[in-house]
Amino acid sequence: MTTKRATISVVIIAKNSAMTLAKCLQSVQWADEIVLLDSGSDDNTTEIAREYGAKVHTHLDWQGYGKQRQFAQQYASCEYTFMIDTDEEVTDELRVNIEAVLASPQQPNIIYSCARRNWFLGRYMYHCGWYPDRVMRLYRTQERTYNDNLVHESINTIGATVAPLDGDLLHQTCTDFSSFQQKQLTYAKNWAQERFQSGKKVGFSSAFSHSIGAFLKTYLLRKGFLDGAHGLLLSIIIAQYTFNKYITLWSLHQSSTNKS
């Protein structure tokens, strides 16, 4: 007697993602359904999604990445959810291993992670902490969801076992330097706002000490120097991002103090 294959929903959140979305959707056409939750695109993101058979929904009340993923998952109707970003692609090897999970009975409360191969200005990075860059993406729809984080959201892992899948996600992390820098600034602002709301305080000097530490960790401990000029540049960017996080948090408290 053969076991019936479990069903899977690929779930995507999107906004103005027309540049990368087609390749993403091409890589997941094997899924039982594709759900895309748009947060107000003014390009042809939703049209592209429908061309590839996605069920398109809209949620304009942006409350952060974690909440948006929660809203998106509510539209998933299959047994398993695979969460993917619009600038990611599933490789053939990863697809085979996902299909293996669906084909065989699995114990409850397992989350599956996969390695992510990150593209940075013309090449994939294999150091700087950017590979294998494992991310948790596959899980039973009724068992798990994302936390409420504004940025750097993650799946709730309480009581779960995390199992690795073979095969990579291809991630177009940075194809345009200016856009990447703008995204980093947004992430830093969201990180600081979240910490500010939770009452975290930092001193002025911590922005410098954390950024220096981030550079040394990325370039030396994580062997960024083995990626040549790309590794040096990425190490500087990570240090810059770290500085922006902490100095923004410090400035929020300064503004709050001056108002009171």
Side-chain angles (χ1 to χ4, degrees):
M1 181 177 177
T2 58
T3 303
K4 183 181 178 182
R5 171 191 175 278
T7 57
I8 184 169
S9 302
V10 168
V11 178
I12 307 169
I13 61 172
K15 183 176 181 181
N16 294 335
S17 305
M19 293 293 291
T20 59
L21 184 58
K23 286 186 176 181
C24 171
L25 294 173
Q26 288 169 7
S27 76
V28 294
Q29 288 297 293
W30 45 269
D32 296 286
E33 73 170 358
I34 302 172
V35 173
L36 183 139
L37 183 62
D38 186 76
S39 56
S41 295
D42 52 22
D43 62 5
N44 61 336
T45 291
T46 56
E47 289 82 356
I48 293 171
R50 291 189 178 96
E51 287 176 7
Y52 284 91
K55 299 175 181 177
V56 177
H57 305 273
T58 302
H59 183 82
L60 301 180
D61 181 19
W62 180 263
Q63 299 175 39
Y65 286 93
K67 283 286 191 180
Q68 193 75 354
R69 292 196 192 276
Q70 293 173 25
F71 294 134
Q73 187 177 322
Q74 291 176 4
Y75 293 104
S77 63
C78 294
E79 297 166 72
Y80 279 83
T81 288
F82 185 82
M83 192 72 69
I84 189 171
D85 290 340
T86 58
D87 57 358
E88 295 174 339
E89 302 167 48
V90 174
T91 59
D92 290 340
E93 183 183 6
L94 179 56
R95 172 188 173 177
V96 167
N97 283 280
I98 293 173
E99 291 280 10
V101 170
L102 303 177
S104 303
Q106 304 293 320
Q107 295 179 349
N109 294 313
I110 298 179
I111 303 171
Y112 296 90
S113 70
C114 51
R116 190 163 56 171
R117 204 186 313 164
N118 293 290
W119 182 264
F120 180 69
L121 296 176
R123 60 166 289 183
Y124 286 110
M125 304 293 287
Y126 289 97
H127 302 93
C128 296
W130 268 30
Y131 190 80
D133 186 28
R134 299 202 72 87
V135 288
M136 296 178 289
R137 294 297 181 81
L138 178 64
Y139 51 94
R140 277 192 172 92
T141 304
Q142 297 303 316
E143 288 180 349
R144 300 287 153 188
T145 190
Y146 276 74
N147 59 26
D148 295 343
N149 288 8
L150 293 174
V151 67
H152 301 314
E153 70 287 359
S154 60
I155 299 168
N156 171 19
T157 60
I158 297 174
T161 299
V162 179
L165 291 172
D166 290 332
D168 293 351
L169 269 179
L170 303 182
H171 185 205
Q172 301 300 310
T173 317
C174 176
T175 57
D176 174 74
F177 186 75
S178 296
S179 299
F180 183 66
Q181 285 286 75
Q182 188 59 51
K183 185 182 293 185
Q184 293 293 93
L185 284 171
T186 300
Y187 284 163
K189 178 182 177 181
N190 288 340
W191 181 93
Q193 188 66 47
E194 195 169 60
R195 299 310 187 278
F196 175 73
Q197 291 173 356
S198 66
K200 180 178 176 63
K201 294 183 178 182
V202 295
F204 180 75
S205 62
S206 65
F208 296 90
S209 59
H210 278 93
S211 59
I212 293 169
F215 176 83
L216 295 175
K217 183 178 182 180
T218 305
Y219 194 65
L220 297 178
L221 296 181
R222 292 178 171 172
K223 301 181 179 179
F225 59 88
L226 293 177
D227 281 321
H230 284 72
L232 176 59
L233 177 58
L234 182 55
S235 299
I236 293 170
I237 290 173
I238 290 173
Q240 179 188 49
Y241 166 66
T242 304
F243 178 84
N244 288 336
K245 288 196 305 183
Y246 283 91
I247 205 67
T248 302
L249 178 56
W250 176 83
S251 67
L252 286 172
H253 281 288
Q254 295 303 302
S255 298
S256 176
T257 301
N258 290 337
K259 288 179 181 179
S260 59

